[in-house]
Amino acid sequence: MVAFPNLAEVQSAQSPAPVLTADLIEDLQRLQKAAQKITSILDLDQLIDGVVLEVTQSLGCVEASIYLHDEERAEMVMAGVRGCTLHKKGHRLKIGREGMVGYVACTGQTRYAPDVLKDPYYIGCEHSVRSEVAIPLRVGERLVGVFTASHPDVDGFPRQQLRLLQAFCDHVAVAVKNAHQFRLERAERAALDREAQEARAIQQALLPKSSPYIPGFVVSGLSVPARAVGGDWYDFISFPDGRWGIVLADVSGKGTGAALLMSATRGMLRSLAEACCTPGEVLKKLNELLVNDFPAGKFVTLIYAVLDPAARTVVFANAGHLQPLLIDETGERFLDVERGLPLGLAAGDYSETEIRLSPGSRLLFYSDGITEAVNGNEEEYGVCRLAEHAILPEASAVTIVDDVRSFANGNGVRDDATVVFVGVNR
């Protein structure tokens, strides 16, 4: 960036009349203040309007404008104007073909018309204009735009003033480029936010709309993604014979990628579960599909259980997920299976475990976002706190997640947090 000349440089450049020197010093001070101000403005429209206003007021110009470069159409587009009653924002000029602006955009050189009536490139606007200057706004070799200022007097811009305007335009060019980049980034962030919210809405629609009604049981589930979308998922699947499939899964990673893999896993598992296979068979077939389809290094940990309310039994298979927590009259214990790698890594079998639920017992499936949530002291919520809350009479998936959030004390969940609660009435 070209710096503003100091007062000594300006005064030694020529030997103007004393009054002119005083005016020039005042112009310099005004434009220096304006340059300092514009560098902090990131709103493009506010920046451009502020520049044209400052120049017209400071230098007594009839009009001033800024055109921005439309590279795709090889045109200059009026983005800010003051004093011109003929052209409005959005007015376009062909580069190299129309007006002083088009000439300057093509050549990259400042063009000054001391008498606009004698300049072949000048396109008239206000009848009171007698002289005009067009200055390229460049950052390095890149054309950002063109600045113009018009004066009511013939040769209304002394050489020193033109020099000041050129230095000022160097500041304007950088400020416009930064503001334009900020606008693009803000628009891109807004678009990403909209896409994330749409993805979140779709993902939430894939989760159960309500808890299943199972006489003699209290069943609930809740999933809270760490970001707009996540890789956790739970489901309740109703079978014609009165049994219920219960699923809790955690796809490796976070965000949109994990959500896409979760959605694919959900569709496959539902199709296999409706074929009435046993939990171990469902996971084996699902794993065979995912091994071929999943990207390298991606996997899913998943628990699939089938609840038989009439017999009060649960049969489940575990694909590398956290051990379910069972709380009954004997205390609390974690349930394990013999075999079960995470899905999508390698072929393998999945063993099954059957448990009988006694009156008053509670069975919990949960993801690591629950147990690994931390407070301000970096203490984890852990399975002990989970068990302590699960035995409360009012416990449910919602109250567990609320307790985790309260424990985190504003830190929020670092990973997707999901829990499925199965309680047996006494």
Side-chain angles (χ1 to χ4, degrees), residues 4 135-138 147 164-174:
F4 275 103
I135 303 173
L137 302 177
R138 304 183 68 89
F147 167 85
L164 292 180
L165 279 174
Q166 286 178 310
F168 177 67
C169 283
D170 287 329
H171 290 265
V172 172
V174 173

Side-chain angles (χ1 to χ4, degrees), residues 203-261:
Q203 186 177 48
Q204 291 299 310
L206 296 178
L207 296 175
K209 302 296 186 296
S210 60
S211 298
Y213 172 69
I214 306 175
F217 291 79
V218 177
V219 180
S220 60
L222 184 63
S223 182
V224 179
R227 301 177 182 174
V229 292
D232 278 12
W233 158 59
Y234 73 96
D235 205 356
F236 304 122
I237 305 171
S238 175
F239 294 120
D241 60 3
R243 296 180 303 150
W244 283 84
I246 300 175
V247 188
L248 192 148
D250 182 357
V251 180
S252 61
K254 302 181 182 66
T256 304
L260 290 172
L261 295 178

